[in-house]
Amino acid sequence: MSLSQHEVKKVSLLARLLLTEEELTTMTGQISDIVGYVEQLNELDTTDVEPMAHAVEQFNVFAADEVAPSLSRDEALANAPKRDDECFRVPAVLGE
């Protein structure tokens, strides 16, 4: 499957990437190659293969919650470009 430059441009805009025409041309070829490699997997017989979420089974990969020394609020906010007295200030994403 080959992707068009229009499709790659649409995906890049959804990813909030602003590509130059040269980058768009390069990325179109590269992404088309990747999709082609993934399509090769369709040639494999997977009828007896059980679906999995991860290549290696893992159990309880989370560390136990333990209280440990950490930065104070002032230390954590010290290098923040925008902050108020208690937290980081970031642009609204979902509106007001």
Side-chain angles (χ1 to χ4, degrees):
M1 175 182 182
S2 181
L3 297 176
S4 69
Q5 280 195 351
H6 176 74
E7 292 169 317
V8 174
K9 186 173 187 173
K10 181 177 179 179
V11 171
S12 72
L13 292 175
L14 291 172
R16 296 181 185 255
L17 299 173
L18 188 58
L19 301 177
T20 65
E21 287 300 317
E22 182 180 331
E23 291 170 326
L24 185 61
T25 301
T26 301
M27 293 297 286
T28 300
Q30 291 177 346
I31 293 174
S32 292
D33 289 345
I34 292 169
V35 170
Y37 294 134
V38 172
E39 281 185 338
Q40 289 179 4
L41 296 175
N42 290 331
E43 298 173 11
L44 298 173
D45 180 17
T46 59
T47 53
D48 294 328
V49 177
E50 185 177 336
M52 60 176 67
H54 198 280
V56 179
E57 275 193 70
Q58 296 183 349
F59 300 97
N60 196 16
V61 295
F62 299 106
D65 287 336
E66 297 177 5
V67 176
S70 61
L71 297 174
S72 70
R73 178 178 290 146
D74 287 334
E75 290 171 321
L77 296 172
N79 291 322
K82 292 184 180 178
R83 61 179 271 194
D84 62 19
D85 292 337
E86 296 183 347
C87 54
F88 297 98
R89 302 291 298 172
V90 296
V93 178
L94 303 176
E96 295 185 37

